[in-house]
């Protein structure tokens, strides 16, 4: 009820003094409901019951050690951390990542990824731990192997010691594949600890819920107008919904279908269409024998997801938290900065978009003020990355202390 | 033993009318009045969640047994956005006129339309209702 009585100020419509408009907007009931749904933050921790190591502190230490471990790769030179760098929002600053070869896609940041349902831009993995296996084995990324990973975990005294602690008294994995799964599960347990810090937006959202006008007033008017656009005319929140600003599903935002290789060859990235096929054939998916909790609700979407024609060219809705650190943007890294992304939504090519797909996006034709407002709002979803980076360093130090 | 088997067999053969369940319809149920029967839909969990899997318990009530239709499909779409779900629900017949649909998931806030397709005596018919997912 409180929400509906919140009255912020009068929305200035188009006026001459628009550029210096200082009045924050009024949110309607639907917008207030959306604003509430963008929290609370930080979210409560729910372990992934499909991963027996989820939430286990000793496994987090092994995962942190493995995350920086280049020996998982074929040439001993590439670690997860090479493409997911703590100071870059756990991405790599490249349009398309480079492992042993140049990849087709942009490395997403890893903060808050435990809130996702699907992993990868095409959602080809259904758990954080299955998503850790792909880069290790993919010949273009780290080019590792099941045998090499198992040999490393058995043979390296430090990693073997950490793995023993992670297994926590239970017998260590038997065969090579089980050891790979153990490593992946520990990597997932570590990545589950990567959470974005609270932001100016979170303070505003909580102030709105509490009806605290003084606290609300501390959130810049421009960001408030951006939020009004985001939850209103812009329709951004239909896809960027929930505390991580993602519905966890897949959409076509009208980017070009083609990616171009260095030699000028153009190829199509089928996106979710192929992602579903890859998910279904992955032996490490939640329907496979390694899922520790086949009865959990997390299995239902995997069982029922179906490939549809419209999945062609669809990509996962990314989180918008800690966005300022993860440029360039989009699955192909084609947008160098946030203004380019906002302009993309402003000037969408409708012919490219609405051929037979869903009818949500329309060119927004934003004016300069609206673009700035949206940028102010998007900027308010980021805060310093120092805490997760320091936690990572601390965990690696803990791991060294536990198993010198 | 033989008697138990016989009893089980008669239980299977006798049409068990869903009448009892139709007399005590939970308040939370969605009731759709069709031309020849009433559709009673209960979600699990209650209420229908946004962006999380749920199931439907579905009953056909007040139908004449001889023309009890068969439920063949449950689906949902967003009329304003012209798209459906990303998931295909499965349908299990629990009893005469009693079904369970699993694997539904509404991935966007806004208005969804649920559609229930029936076949009765070779004739197709559809009942539907709208729901504002929040
Ligand atoms: Cu929709």
């Amino acid at each position: 009820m409180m929400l509906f009585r919140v009255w912020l100020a009068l929305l200035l419509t188009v006026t001459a003094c628009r550029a210096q408009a200082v009045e924050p907007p009024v949110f309607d009931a639907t917008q207030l409901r959306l604003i509430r749904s963008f929290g609370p933050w930080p979210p409560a921790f729910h372990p992934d019951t499909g991963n027996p190591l989820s939430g286990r502190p000793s496994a987090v230490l092994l995962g942190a050690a493995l995350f920086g471990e280049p020996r998982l790769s074929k040439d001993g030179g590439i670690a997860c951390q090479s493409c997911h760098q703590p100071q870059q929002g756990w991405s790599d600053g490249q349009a398309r990542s480079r492992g042993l070869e140049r990849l087709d896609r942009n490395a997403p940041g890893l903060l808050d990824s435990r809130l996702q349902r699907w992993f990868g831009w095409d959602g080809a993995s259904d758990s954080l731990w299955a998503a850790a296996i792909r880069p290790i084995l993919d010949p273009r990324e780290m080019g590792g192997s099941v045998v090499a990973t198992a040999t490393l975990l058995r043979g390296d005294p430090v990693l073997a010691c950490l793995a023993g602690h992670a297994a926590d008294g239970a017998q260590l994995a038997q065969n090579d594949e089980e050891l790979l799964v153990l490593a992946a599960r520990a990597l997932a347990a570590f990545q589950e600890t990567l959470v974005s810090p609270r932001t100016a937006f979170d303070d505003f959202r909580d102030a709105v819920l509490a009806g605290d006008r003084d606290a609300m007033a501390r959130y810049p008017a421009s960001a408030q107008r951006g939020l009004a656009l985001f939850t209103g005319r812009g329709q951004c929140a239909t896809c960027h919904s929930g505390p991580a600003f993602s519905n966890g599903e897949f959409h076509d935002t009208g980017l070009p279908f083609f990616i171009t290789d260095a030699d000028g060859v153009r190829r199509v990235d089928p996106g979710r269409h192929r992602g579903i096929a890859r998910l279904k054939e992955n032996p490490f998916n939640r329907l496979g024998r390694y899922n520790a909790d086949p009865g959990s609700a997390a299995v239902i979407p995997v069982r029922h997801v179906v490939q549809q024609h419209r999945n062609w060219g669809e990509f996962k809705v990314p989180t918008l938290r800690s966005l300022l650190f993860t440029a360039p943007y989009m699955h192909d890294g084609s947008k160098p900065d946030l203004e380019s992304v906002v302009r993309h939504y402003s000037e969408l090519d409708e012919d490219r978009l609405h051929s037979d797909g869903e009818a949500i996006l329309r060119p927004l034709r934003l004016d300069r003020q609206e673009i700035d407002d949206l940028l102010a709002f998007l900027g308010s979803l980021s805060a310093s990355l120092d805490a997760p980076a320091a936690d990572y360093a601390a965990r690696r130090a803990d791991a060294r202390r536990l198993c010198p | 033993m033989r008697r138990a088997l016989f009893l089980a067999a008669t239980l299977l053969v006798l049409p068990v009318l869903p009448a009892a369940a139709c007399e005590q319809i939970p308040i939370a149920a969605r009731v759709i009045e069709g031309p020849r029967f009433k559709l009673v839909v209960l979600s699990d969990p209650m209420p229908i969640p946004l962006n999380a899997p749920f199931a439907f318990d579905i009953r056909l009530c007040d139908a004449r047994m001889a023309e009890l239709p068969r439920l063949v499909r449950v689906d949902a779409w967003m009329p304003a956005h012209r798209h459906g779900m990303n998931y295909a629900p499965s349908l299990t017949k629990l009893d005469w006129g009693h079904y369970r649909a699993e694997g539904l998931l509404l991935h966007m806030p806004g208005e969804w339309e649920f559609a229930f397709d029936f076949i009765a005596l070779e004739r197709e018919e559809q009942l539907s209702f709208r729901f504002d997912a929040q």
Side-chain angles (χ1 to χ4, degrees):
Chain A
M1 259 348 263
M2 197 65 188
L3 278 181
F4 300 94
R5 272 186 270 116
V6 173
W7 184 87
L8 291 166
L10 254 170
L11 174 64
L12 282 189
T13 42
V14 191
T15 59
C17 58
R18 186 120 192 221
Q20 32 162 315
V22 286
E23 297 302 323
V26 180
F27 298 103
D28 67 23
T30 307
Q31 289 176 305
L32 288 169
R33 216 160 31 209
L34 286 168
I35 292 169
R36 180 213 288 262
S37 73
F38 295 143
W41 199 266
F45 179 76
H46 302 290
D48 174 2
T49 54
N51 174 2
L53 300 192
S54 174
R56 191 184 286 186
S58 54
V60 171
L61 297 190
L62 173 62
L66 288 172
F67 197 82
E69 180 52 79
R71 287 174 297 168
L72 285 173
S73 68
K74 186 177 178 182
D75 67 355
I78 306 169
C80 308
Q81 183 186 263
S82 313
C83 301
H84 300 287
Q85 298 164 20
Q87 288 305 342
Q88 303 258 21
W90 305 77
S91 62
D92 62 5
Q94 310 280 318
R96 283 159 51 193
S97 284
R98 187 173 284 281
L100 292 171
E101 288 169 39
R102 189 174 185 212
L103 307 180
D104 290 351
R105 299 191 185 143
N106 176 262
L110 297 182
L111 291 168
D112 315 317
S113 53
R114 74 169 160 86
L115 299 178
Q116 301 272 349
R117 176 182 300 131
W118 305 109
F119 301 86
W121 287 101
D122 58 2
S125 304
D126 60 4
S127 72
L128 212 40
W129 73 261
I133 289 184
R134 193 215 65 238
I136 298 176
L137 300 186
D138 189 324
R140 297 177 313 159
E141 293 188 53
M142 298 167 80
S145 70
V146 182
V147 178
T149 306
T151 308
L152 179 68
L153 257 82
R154 276 199 205 96
D156 181 77
V158 174
L159 291 177
C161 162
L162 288 170
H165 282 284
D168 199 19
Q171 198 176 22
L172 205 55
Q174 300 280 308
N175 62 35
D176 290 356
E177 189 169 275
E178 284 168 17
L179 266 174
L180 172 73
V181 168
L182 178 91
R185 285 170 167 172
L187 279 162
F190 163 64
Q191 291 172 84
E192 284 171 352
T193 67
L194 303 177
V195 179
S196 289
R198 269 181 73 86
T199 63
F201 168 77
D202 296 307
D203 291 342
F204 176 72
R205 180 242 176 218
D206 292 356
V208 170
L209 254 70
D212 181 344
R213 286 197 206 181
D214 291 341
M216 285 191 297
R218 283 196 284 276
Y219 189 55
S222 175
Q224 295 194 34
R225 288 191 303 267
L227 172 60
L229 251 172
F230 191 88
T231 52
R233 180 169 91 83
Q235 288 205 70
C236 315
T238 49
C239 303
H240 296 282
S241 61
F245 294 89
S246 166
N247 63 6
E249 292 289 329
F250 304 82
H251 297 276
D252 175 6
T253 55
L255 292 172
F257 285 122
F258 294 99
I259 42 175
T260 310
D261 286 328
D263 53 10
V265 175
R266 302 206 314 160
R267 281 175 301 125
V268 172
D269 186 337
R272 183 58 171 159
H273 200 266
R274 184 177 295 160
I276 293 177
R278 287 172 53 200
L279 166 81
K280 301 251 170 184
E281 69 196 22
N282 187 345
F284 302 110
N285 72 22
R286 287 189 190 266
L287 301 175
R289 69 187 192 89
Y290 286 107
N291 182 5
D293 187 7
S296 89
V299 178
I300 299 173
V302 189
R303 188 175 297 132
H304 291 273
V305 68
V306 279
Q307 203 180 40
Q308 302 173 54
H309 180 67
R310 73 170 156 83
N311 296 139
W312 198 269
E314 285 183 346
F315 291 90
K316 192 174 75 177
V317 180
T319 174
L320 300 181
R321 286 188 181 267
S322 298
L323 197 59
L324 290 182
F325 307 96
T326 58
Y329 301 102
M330 303 304 209
H331 73 273
D332 54 0
S334 58
K335 304 291 175 205
D337 49 36
L338 285 177
E339 175 153 351
S340 325
V341 178
V342 170
R343 285 193 183 281
H344 169 73
Y345 285 112
S346 185
E347 296 150 17
L348 286 170
D349 176 359
E350 269 187 294
D351 293 335
R352 152 66 185 78
L353 203 56
H354 288 213
S355 39
D356 66 343
E358 48 188 29
I360 303 171
L361 290 167
R362 262 178 277 111
L364 293 172
R365 311 268 176 245
L366 304 166
D367 65 24
R368 183 68 248 176
Q369 174 79 56
E370 290 173 315
I371 291 175
D372 288 342
D373 290 345
L374 263 179
L375 291 175
F377 166 66
L378 292 174
S380 77
L381 302 176
S382 295
S384 158
L385 289 183
D386 293 347
D391 284 353
Y392 175 48
R395 290 196 163 104
R396 288 177 62 79
D398 287 348
R400 278 194 298 274
R401 255 192 304 279
L402 183 65
C403 296
Chain B
M1 185 63 197
R2 289 260 291 277
R3 258 177 65 189
L5 270 179
F6 176 70
L7 223 108
T10 41
L11 279 178
L12 281 176
V13 173
L14 285 175
V16 183
L17 288 165
C22 289
E23 270 157 22
Q24 303 151 13
I25 295 169
I27 316 170
R30 217 32 213 249
V31 181
I32 303 103
E33 299 283 353
R36 278 169 299 109
F37 61 92
K38 194 159 74 184
L39 185 65
V40 178
V41 182
L42 205 63
S43 81
D44 170 18
M46 219 21 251
I48 296 173
L50 176 63
N51 212 4
F54 63 95
F56 271 157
D57 179 273
I58 304 158
R59 285 175 196 276
L60 280 61
C61 294
D62 305 346
R64 292 228 315 276
M65 207 49 198
E67 51 173 44
L68 187 68
R70 191 158 49 88
L71 178 61
V72 290
R73 205 171 75 106
V74 176
D75 212 343
W77 74 304
M78 290 189 92
H81 294 165
R82 292 197 322 222
H83 67 78
M85 292 188 294
N86 291 333
Y87 303 90
S90 60
L91 205 52
T92 316
K93 182 175 171 182
L94 303 176
D95 199 345
W96 295 97
H98 188 191
Y99 299 84
R100 188 171 169 90
E102 304 252 8
L104 294 110
L105 192 154
L106 309 183
H107 62 275
M108 254 188 212
E111 191 177 58
W112 288 81
E113 183 175 271
F114 290 105
F116 301 81
D117 290 328
F118 301 93
I119 294 183
L121 307 173
E122 302 306 309
R123 217 175 22 187
E124 289 173 29
E125 82 185 69
Q126 187 179 74
L127 290 181
S128 66
F129 70 87
R130 292 197 171 198
F131 172 76
D132 188 15
Q134 294 297 342

